[in-house]
Amino acid sequence: MDASWEASVTDSINAIYLLFSAYLVFVMQLGFAMLCAGSVRAKNAMNIMLTNVVDAVVGSISYYLFGFAFAFGDASNSNPFIGTNYFALKDIPSSSYDYSFFLYQWAFAIAVAGITSGSIAERTQFTAYLFFSFFLTGFVYPIVAHWLWSSNGWLSPNSDSLLFGSGAIDFAGSGVVHLVGGIAGLWGSIIEGPRVGRFDAFGNPVKMRGHNATLVVLGTFLLWFGWFGFNPGSFDKILVPYPNKIDQGNWTSVGRTAVTTTLAGSTAGIVTLFGRRLLVGHWDATDVCNGVLGGFVAITSGCSVVEPWAAIVCGFCAAWLLIGLNMLALKLKFDDPLEAAQLHGGCGAWGLIFTGLFAKEEFVLQAYNSGKTQVARPSGLILGGGWGLFGAQVVELLSIVVWVSLTMGPLFYVLQKLGILRITADEEIAGLDISSHGGYAYEANHEESGPRFYGEYLRMQHQS
C-alpha cells in the first residue's frame, strides 16, 4: 500500500510539472502575437494577431485528429518514419502517454505555425493561413517530431537502433520546432516575393519598421518566460533520481537547463546590442530582442547536455550568425518582416551543430539514460566524444531541410498558382486590416492617409 501511495505521489508531481510546463509553452503564443503585432505596420496589426489565433485553434484540431498520432504513434506496425495510432486520441491514456503529455506536445505544435506566419506577414491572404497551418501542424511537423522524439524514430536518441551509435540530440526542438518553422517560412516568403515598396527601383532596401516597439519588447519577455517551459519542461518528469547520487536527479538537470537557456539568450542579446551599434550607429531595441530570441532558439537543442560556459559560446555565435543572415537577406532581396527564417531557421541549424560539438557525456546520460553511468554514449566532438553525435546532428539538419522543402514548398507554390496566397497590390497598400478584416486594430489610425473604415475602402475599390 505504501509503495503504491508513493508511486501515486511521484506520478502526480510529475504530471503537475508537465502540465505547468505546457501552460508556460502556451504563453509563448501570446508572446508570438505581441512580437508579431509590434513588428508589422499598424495597418496590418489586426491581421497578424488574428493569424496567431488561427494558428492556435486550427492547429489544435489538426494536431488532435492527426498530428499526435503521426508524431507519437507506437503501435506494433509503427515505423521509424511515421506513427500509426492514437488518431483523435483513441486509446489515450496508454501505457506510454497520457493527456498531460498530449497537451505539452500540442503547445509545441502550434508554435511552429506561429513561426512561419511571421515570414509571410503583411501580404498573405487569410485563407492561405488556414491551409498551411492545418497542414504544417497536422502532418509536416509531426513527422519530424516522430523521427526525433518517438522511441522508434530513426533519428531518436532513445531508439533501439541508434544512428551512428548515438542518435541525434534535439532536446527541445532547435530542429524539430524552429528549423521546421523557419524553412517553411523561407519557402513561403520566397514564393510570395517581397512586400510592395520593400526594395526601390534600384534594388536598394527600404526600411519598413514595425509600428510598436513596446509590443516587441513585451512579446520578447513573454517568450523568454515561456521558454522555461519549452526547454526545462522537455524532461517530462522531474522526480527521477540519478543512481548513486542521493542529491541529484532530473530536478538538478532542470535547473541547469534553465540556466543554460538564460545565458545563451542573454549573451546573444548583448552581442547583438553592440554588434548592431557598430553597424548602424545607434542602439536598437528591436534588434536586441531578435538577438535574444536567436540565442534561445540555438540553445534549445543542447540546453540539457551542455555546460553553462558552452551556452555563452552558443549565444555569441548565434548573434553574429543572425546579424550576418539579415545582411545576406537584404543583398538577396529576401523579405521576411519578422526575420523568422533567419532567426528560427539559421539559429536553429546552428543549435544542432553546436550540440554535436559541445554536448557533455555525463549530461547526455542524465537526459537520455536517467544518469546510468555504466552506459557509454557519444558526446560533443570538441569534448572528445567522437564523430557519432556530430554526424547524427548533420543528418538531422539536412533531413529537416529536405523534408520541409519537399512538403511546404509545393504547398505554397500551389496556393500561389490558385491565387489564394498573396493579396493584390491595392489591398497591400491599403493594409490587410481595412481590406480583409473590416477595420483597423486601433481606433485612431492615420497611417499613409489610407481609408479609415471598411466602407471607405469598398467605395475606393468601386471607383477604381
Side-chain angles (χ1 to χ4, degrees):
M1 186 69 180
D2 290 340
S4 176
W5 178 85
E6 183 176 323
S8 296
V9 171
T10 299
D11 290 343
S12 298
I13 292 174
N14 286 332
I16 291 170
Y17 175 71
L18 188 58
L19 283 171
F20 180 71
S21 298
Y23 305 151
L24 283 176
V25 177
F26 182 68
V27 168
M28 296 178 78
Q29 288 299 120
L30 177 57
F32 277 126
M34 296 300 98
L35 180 72
C36 290
S39 299
V40 302
R41 289 165 292 177
K43 64 183 180 181
N44 296 310
M46 182 183 291
N47 171 263
I48 198 68
M49 286 191 286
L50 180 57
T51 61
N52 276 271
V53 176
V54 166
D55 289 336
V57 297
V58 172
S60 298
I61 302 302
S62 63
Y63 196 72
Y64 161 74
L65 292 174
F66 312 109
F68 185 79
F70 289 148
F72 295 100
D74 58 1
S76 57
N77 61 338
S78 292
N79 57 73
F81 180 77
I82 188 171
T84 55
N85 67 323
Y86 302 140
F87 291 100
L89 294 188
K90 187 178 184 299
D91 300 324
I92 294 290
S94 69
S95 58
S96 303
Y97 308 112
D98 59 11
Y99 291 115
S100 301
F101 185 79
F102 166 80
L103 193 77
Y104 184 66
Q105 294 300 330
W106 156 81
F108 273 67
I110 60 175
V112 181
I115 293 168
T116 305
S117 297
S119 293
I120 56 177
E122 298 202 285
R123 61 202 189 277
T124 304
Q125 292 190 46
F126 183 70
T127 306
Y129 285 105
L130 302 175
F131 282 104
F132 93 76
S133 184
F134 191 90
F135 185 62
L136 185 59
T137 56
F139 181 69
V140 178
Y141 159 78
I143 299 299
V144 180
H146 185 81
W147 298 349
L148 274 299
W149 292 342
S150 172
S151 59
N152 56 6
W154 70 279
L155 284 169
S156 173
N158 295 315
S159 171
D160 293 332
S161 179
L162 296 173
L163 180 67
F164 303 144
S166 169
I169 292 178
D170 193 359
F171 188 72
S174 286
V176 176
V177 177
H178 297 284
L179 185 57
V180 168
I183 297 300
L186 174 70
W187 282 108
S189 189
I190 289 175
I191 291 171
E192 280 197 311
R195 290 167 289 176
V196 172
R198 183 65 177 93
F199 299 94
D200 64 21
F202 301 100
N204 299 314
V206 176
K207 186 72 173 177
M208 287 185 171
R209 295 183 64 89
H211 81 283
N212 195 322
T214 303
L215 292 180
V216 173
V217 174
L218 174 62
T220 300
F221 277 114
L222 286 169
L223 288 168
W224 190 331
F225 180 59
W227 235 293
F228 289 131
F230 209 84
N231 287 3
S234 290
F235 275 94
D236 295 344
K237 297 179 175 66
I238 193 168
L239 279 186
V240 178
Y242 297 148
N244 307 318
K245 294 185 177 181
I246 60 173
D247 60 339
Q248 291 190 38
N250 269 7
W251 54 89
T252 52
S253 294
V254 164
R256 184 184 65 248
T257 300
V259 169
T260 58
T261 301
T262 300
L263 290 176
S266 299
T267 302
I270 292 172
V271 173
T272 304
L273 175 68
F274 287 95
R276 290 294 294 171
R277 174 68 173 81
L278 291 173
L279 291 171
V280 301
H282 59 264
W283 311 100
D284 194 312
T286 56
D287 283 342
V288 174
C289 287
N290 276 346
V292 169
L293 297 178
F296 289 148
V297 168
I299 196 62
T300 293
S301 170
C303 55
S304 65
V305 296
V306 299
E307 294 272 16
W309 65 264
I312 292 177
V313 174
C314 178
F316 180 87
C317 295
W320 285 114
L321 176 63
L322 180 59
I323 290 172
L325 288 175
N326 284 333
M327 295 172 66
L328 178 63
L330 292 179
K331 288 186 179 296
L332 297 176
K333 298 180 179 58
F334 173 76
D335 184 22
D336 184 327
L338 272 293
E339 301 176 6
Q342 301 94 295
L343 197 161
H344 297 275
C347 294
W350 158 240
L352 297 180
I353 299 301
F354 162 78
T355 304
L357 295 174
F358 289 95
K360 184 177 180 179
E361 184 179 17
E362 177 189 356
F363 297 162
V364 174
L365 293 174
Q366 290 177 1
Y368 293 100
N369 295 90
S370 300
K372 296 175 183 176
T373 55
Q374 66 271 27
V375 180
R377 295 191 71 125
S379 54
L381 180 63
I382 288 179
L383 301 184
W387 289 92
L389 174 59
F390 184 82
Q393 299 300 105
V394 172
V395 170
E396 179 193 348
L397 194 164
L398 296 176
S399 300
I400 290 174
V401 171
V402 171
W403 168 249
V404 179
S405 297
L406 291 177
T407 50
M408 294 304 295
L411 174 66
F412 282 121
Y413 181 78
V414 170
L415 292 176
Q416 181 79 326
K417 286 298 181 182
L418 292 175
I420 56 176
L421 182 60
R422 179 152 187 167
I423 59 175
T424 66
D426 286 344
E427 290 174 316
E428 186 175 339
I429 292 170
L432 279 160
D433 288 2
I434 196 67
S435 64
S436 299
H437 306 294
Y440 294 110
Y442 306 104
E443 186 65 27
N445 179 75
H446 304 286
E447 187 181 63
E448 298 181 6
S449 65
R452 296 190 60 195
F453 303 102
Y454 187 58
E456 293 179 16
Y457 169 75
L458 290 179
R459 285 192 294 273
M460 288 177 61
Q461 291 296 99
H462 289 310
Q463 291 170 3
S464 60

